[in-house]
Amino acid sequence: MDSGGLLIGAVAARSGVSRKAIRFYEAAGILARPARTRSGYRLYPPDTLAVLGFVTQARRLGFTLAEIRKIVAIKRAGGVPCRHVGALVRRKALELDRALRDLTAMRRRLRRLLQSPSPGRDGSAVVCPHIEAPTLSALKRRTSWKV
């Protein structure tokens, strides 16, 4: 075995990333294609562990594989990706703010449903009066229809 790198099993053990994920990141262009031993085994450079650490943390922060690939490509090309990452972080924070507002509103509506008296079981609902009641009330307020 060559002494200039790490076999995939060693990379997996040290990084906590599965062999399958390592091969996937390689195929996705996030990890550079490794050298091969004479017998065809992948031989990863030691900095692969740092790249996998970055990938793991970036995934935890909600970065997509495409975004991670772009960041790694900027670095691999000799650039400093910090400005690009800053723009992504700002966009992700805004998306999270929007999602939190939407989820908070949804939780409020669900709690109101739980606190409201059970609608009658007269068969007037299309599917379920618990879900339809808020929609029908809003529809009545916005239109002149008799629902």
Side-chain angles (χ1 to χ4, degrees):
M1 170 173 48
D2 301 17
S3 61
L6 301 166
L7 294 173
I8 196 168
V11 173
R14 291 184 189 182
S15 67
V17 176
S18 71
R19 293 172 190 220
K20 184 176 180 180
I22 293 168
R23 286 189 293 270
F24 176 77
Y25 292 148
E26 179 187 329
I30 293 169
L31 292 177
R33 295 261 180 221
R36 298 280 184 153
T37 64
R38 288 183 191 167
S39 54
Y41 293 107
R42 290 172 167 86
L43 197 60
Y44 291 94
D47 73 338
T48 300
L49 297 173
V51 174
L52 287 172
F54 168 80
V55 171
T56 300
Q57 183 62 19
R59 295 289 290 156
R60 284 187 190 127
L61 292 170
F63 286 85
T64 66
L65 289 177
E67 291 166 339
I68 293 168
R69 181 180 21 231
K70 174 74 173 172
I71 294 165
V72 170
I74 292 169
K75 181 65 176 174
R76 201 176 282 145
V80 179
C82 295
R83 180 174 285 156
H84 177 73
V85 171
L88 287 173
V89 167
R90 279 187 290 282
R91 190 185 84 223
K92 288 190 174 303
L94 289 172
E95 288 171 359
L96 280 174
D97 289 342
R98 189 175 314 115
L100 283 170
R101 282 191 306 273
D102 292 346
L103 287 170
T104 300
M106 185 186 308
R107 181 181 60 201
R108 199 176 311 117
R109 289 191 305 269
L110 288 170
R111 285 186 175 158
R112 267 188 252 142
L113 277 175
L114 287 172
Q115 294 169 354
S116 64
S118 294
R121 297 184 181 161
D122 59 4
S124 63
V126 175
V127 178
C128 176
H130 290 284
I131 303 295
E132 294 171 31
T135 305
L136 292 175
S137 299
L139 185 60
K140 287 178 185 176
R141 285 192 305 269
R142 286 187 300 215
T143 67
S144 59
W145 301 350
K146 299 287 185 214
V147 181

